[in-house]
């Protein structure tokens, strides 16, 4: 299935709205044992193909937003959300995985409200890659998708999104 959000195919992150990247316990860059700065993954990691432990976008708390410009105008048919399996988690837990989320289609990159495409739940006891169908088969085409994370699986500090994909039918490019 084609992923129209994939960065290497033309997708891009437009905004995280009010969601703040979580920085605690990030990788540390130091010189002679003196910490210079801490690194963290940007929201771009959500639309890149690698899914390795720790290579996610972590944001503070359990509620967050991600606005993604697709590679063109797309009529979405489904979405997929991926998290690492428990077997690869250093603690053997997936409490930072998103639980409840919604997806909206936006007509412009400046829109703040859009068309509700569905409300879903990621099951940490299911497969790492899970697919979710658009609730209405007669949905319009959109150049922008907003992912709204409503809750996670119990982590009070942060939520980690590894990979989000948008599947559907390509309608047209952004040209005139």
């Amino acid at each position: 299935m084609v992923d129209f959000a994939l960065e290497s195919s033309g997708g891009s992150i437009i905004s995280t709205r009010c969601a703040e990247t979580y920085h605690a316990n990030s990788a540390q860059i130091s010189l002679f044992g003196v910490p210079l700065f801490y690194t963290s993954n940007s929201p771009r990691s959500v639309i890149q193909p690698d899914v390795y432990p720790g290579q996610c976008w972590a944001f503070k708390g359990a509620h967050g937003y991600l606005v993604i410009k697709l590679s063109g105008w797309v009529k979405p048919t489904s979405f997929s959300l991926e998290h690492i399996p428990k077997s690869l988690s250093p603690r053997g837990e997936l409490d930072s995985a998103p639980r409840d989320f919604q997806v909206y289609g936006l007509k412009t990159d400046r829109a703040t409200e859009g068309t509700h495409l569905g409300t879903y739940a990621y099951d940490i006891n299911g497969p790492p890659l899970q697919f979710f169908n658009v609730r209405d088969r007669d949905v319009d085409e959109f150049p922008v998708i907003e992912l709204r994370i409503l809750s996670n699986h119990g982590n009070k500090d942060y939520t980690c999104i590894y990979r989000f994909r948008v599947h559907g039918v390509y309608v047209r490019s952004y040209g005139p």
Side-chain angles (χ1 to χ4, degrees):
M1 295 175 89
V2 176
D3 174 11
F4 293 102
L6 184 66
E7 186 176 56
S8 60
S9 294
S12 62
I13 300 297
I14 295 174
S15 170
T16 60
R17 301 237 192 258
C18 58
E20 291 182 56
T21 297
Y22 181 77
H23 294 286
N25 299 326
S26 299
Q28 174 180 297
I29 305 298
S30 61
L31 180 64
F32 304 115
V34 177
L36 299 176
F37 64 92
Y38 295 89
T39 61
S40 59
N41 293 320
S42 80
R44 290 179 49 220
S45 62
V46 174
I47 58 171
Q48 294 175 348
D50 299 328
V51 179
Y52 299 112
Q55 296 299 311
C56 64
W57 174 53
F59 61 85
K60 292 181 181 178
H63 306 279
Y65 301 84
L66 198 56
V67 182
I68 303 167
K69 183 175 182 181
L70 304 177
S71 57
W73 285 77
V74 174
K75 183 177 180 174
T77 56
S78 65
F79 310 101
S80 56
L81 187 62
E82 186 172 11
H83 201 277
I84 60 168
K86 285 182 184 179
S87 61
L88 293 181
S89 173
R91 297 178 302 141
E93 298 176 12
L94 300 179
D95 62 344
S96 67
R99 173 179 262 155
D100 300 311
F101 65 98
Q102 296 176 326
V103 182
Y104 288 81
L106 307 177
K107 289 294 188 178
T108 70
D109 57 1
R110 294 194 174 122
T112 56
E113 291 299 321
T115 302
H116 183 244
L117 301 174
T119 299
Y120 311 100
Y122 183 85
D123 179 5
I124 59 172
N125 296 310
L129 175 59
Q130 297 177 24
F131 292 87
F132 306 91
N133 291 323
V134 171
R135 68 180 180 152
D136 183 1
R137 289 182 174 247
D138 191 30
V139 70
D140 205 359
E141 61 197 50
F142 301 99
V144 178
I145 293 292
E146 180 179 29
L147 171 64
R148 296 181 185 177
I149 303 297
L150 306 175
S151 64
N152 66 25
H153 284 273
N155 191 304
K156 295 185 184 344
D157 297 323
Y158 65 93
T159 301
C160 225
I161 306 174
Y162 277 87
R163 190 80 197 289
F164 179 73
R165 297 172 178 94
V166 177
H167 311 290
V169 178
Y170 180 82
V171 177
R172 60 187 163 104
S173 68
Y174 292 115

